[in-house]
Amino acid sequence: MNNLILHPDCPAGPVVAINASIEATPSGCRAVFRAMGDLDAIIIPEITEPVRMDNLWRTSCFEIFWQPDGGAYYREFNLSPSTRWACYDFDDFRLNSRNAPADVAIQYRREGDTLVVEAEIVSELPVPADVALNGIIEDKQGNIQFWALAFPAGKPEFHSKVCRALHLEDQAL
């Protein structure tokens, strides 16, 4: 598991730690996010129909950014505990956003004080690649926490290459 860090401009909140793991698979990737803390004090979107939907990042969700070696192109996944998801391609930093082909299955559960979100993603995800694992947590007062493997200086910017701090070499067999 990889420990995510809270952005330095975000105040402490009900979630005190997030860790995540990801592995490449022959058909895409598999990821697990674990957010620990006072889950009753955060907004956890209710489970609903598992469809593609925009703007999931406006409340509690998790994200993966996948950038294959050798270019500026990257793919973004938004994964909601509601089981809704989104997938976008970019040619470069926030350039030419468009829906990307993917099939995403999300499972959500609570284990005591831990929110667990697991995603099985079927999508073309070349390796080697640099990957970002991110968390967005909204508390019931409307405060937002931003979590990532690393952050660039300044405001939270998940699209920054700095956030893609995990290097994946091999595809699982």
Side-chain angles (χ1 to χ4, degrees):
M1 285 292 215
N2 300 280
N3 293 320
L4 278 58
I5 58 171
L6 179 62
H7 188 274
D9 292 343
C10 290
V15 167
V16 297
I18 297 179
N19 59 46
S21 65
I22 191 166
E23 65 177 331
T25 65
S27 60
C29 72
R30 182 177 307 112
V32 178
F33 293 87
R34 301 174 67 82
M36 283 120 337
D38 181 2
L39 301 184
D40 293 329
I42 67 171
I43 295 175
I44 301 173
E46 291 185 32
I47 294 176
T48 186
E49 187 177 355
V51 296
R52 184 187 292 254
M53 184 175 184
D54 293 331
N55 298 313
L56 296 171
W57 52 269
R58 293 185 184 264
T59 190
S60 300
C61 80
F62 300 94
E63 297 182 340
I64 299 167
F65 285 74
W66 191 285
Q67 182 175 21
D69 281 2
Y73 153 85
Y74 62 94
R75 183 163 284 174
E76 172 187 2
F77 296 93
N78 299 159
L79 311 167
S80 172
S82 71
T83 72
R84 290 187 170 162
W85 57 275
C87 180
Y88 309 99
D89 280 343
F90 294 85
D91 292 332
D92 203 337
F93 181 79
R94 293 189 175 271
L95 181 66
N96 298 326
S97 173
R98 61 201 174 275
N99 282 336
D103 186 20
V104 179
I106 298 171
Q107 293 183 349
Y108 144 77
R109 69 183 178 279
R110 288 178 71 153
E111 294 177 351
D113 66 350
T114 302
L115 168 69
V116 180
V117 173
E118 297 178 283
E120 185 79 32
I121 297 171
V122 176
S123 186
E124 184 178 343
L125 298 172
V127 287
D130 292 327
V131 175
L133 301 170
N134 308 321
I136 299 165
I137 302 296
E138 182 179 13
D139 70 24
K140 291 188 175 171
Q141 284 70 48
N143 301 307
I144 304 264
Q145 288 184 317
F146 299 99
W147 296 79
L149 295 169
F151 286 103
K155 69 177 187 165
E157 178 51 82
F158 290 147
H159 287 260
S160 169
K161 288 183 181 185
V162 172
C163 294
R164 296 190 282 277
L166 181 63
H167 189 73
L168 296 181
E169 286 288 335
D170 295 316
Q171 194 172 50
L173 300 175

